[in-house]
Amino acid sequence: MDIAALIAWVVTALGGFYMLGTWIQRGGIRQQQTGTSRLPAPVVFGHFALAAIGLVVWIIYVVADKSALAWTAFGLLLPVALLGFVMLARWMPVYRDRATAGAATTATGPGAEGTVPAERHFPVTVVLAHGLLAVVTLVLVLLTALGIGGS
């Protein structure tokens, strides 16, 4: 089960990297100053940093098989999940506005990224897959830490 959790975590991270890259490329950091982006940079980077640290701890757990490391990784996943839910809640109105905004969502050219929140460019399938796999990862890590399913 520990390997299944590792695979789920890595695939989840790939989706997260894609969204982080999209957010940065579309001006998410610059939009913090103008208030255009609804995702606060500390939340975005805190989510990323805690998830990355947790993944490293999990990899060490898979190699060392020490239960304290499994519980540490699980403990790191809890604030990661909380920050993820915060970002999802702040992204949903941006996604809903996409359908009603009309031409503003297709604005291109210099300065266009300043008028459209960077997170509006997240594909719904990536957001949903990332969230679903994150839940699967959390459950698999918990089950492994509890000793259910073997390691």
Side-chain angles (χ1 to χ4, degrees):
M1 191 162 314
D2 56 350
I3 299 299
L6 178 62
I7 292 167
W9 204 326
V10 168
V11 176
T12 303
L14 291 174
F17 277 129
Y18 176 80
M19 289 188 288
L20 178 63
T22 300
W23 186 76
I24 291 170
Q25 180 184 14
R26 298 292 184 152
I29 296 173
R30 288 186 305 275
Q31 291 177 351
Q32 296 301 297
Q33 297 160 346
T34 63
T36 305
S37 177
R38 293 187 44 92
L39 301 181
V43 173
V44 172
F45 290 110
H47 178 76
F48 166 74
L50 288 171
I53 292 166
L55 178 57
V56 169
V57 170
W58 190 253
I59 291 168
I60 296 169
Y61 163 75
V62 169
V63 173
D65 197 26
K66 302 287 184 194
S67 66
L69 292 170
W71 284 109
T72 302
F74 178 73
L76 286 166
L77 277 177
L78 294 177
V80 170
L82 179 63
L83 292 172
F85 280 121
V86 167
M87 289 189 293
L88 177 65
R90 295 180 67 97
W91 172 79
M92 288 173 71
V94 172
Y95 172 71
R96 285 189 200 120
D97 288 348
R98 175 193 301 188
T100 60
T105 61
T106 58
T108 58
E113 71 276 356
T115 60
V116 175
E119 57 273 16
R120 185 173 290 173
H121 299 282
F122 295 166
V124 175
T125 53
V126 175
V127 173
L128 292 177
H130 180 74
L132 239 138
L133 282 168
V135 170
V136 168
T137 301
L138 186 70
V139 170
L140 289 174
V141 168
L142 176 61
L143 291 175
T144 302
L146 290 170
I148 299 172
S151 63

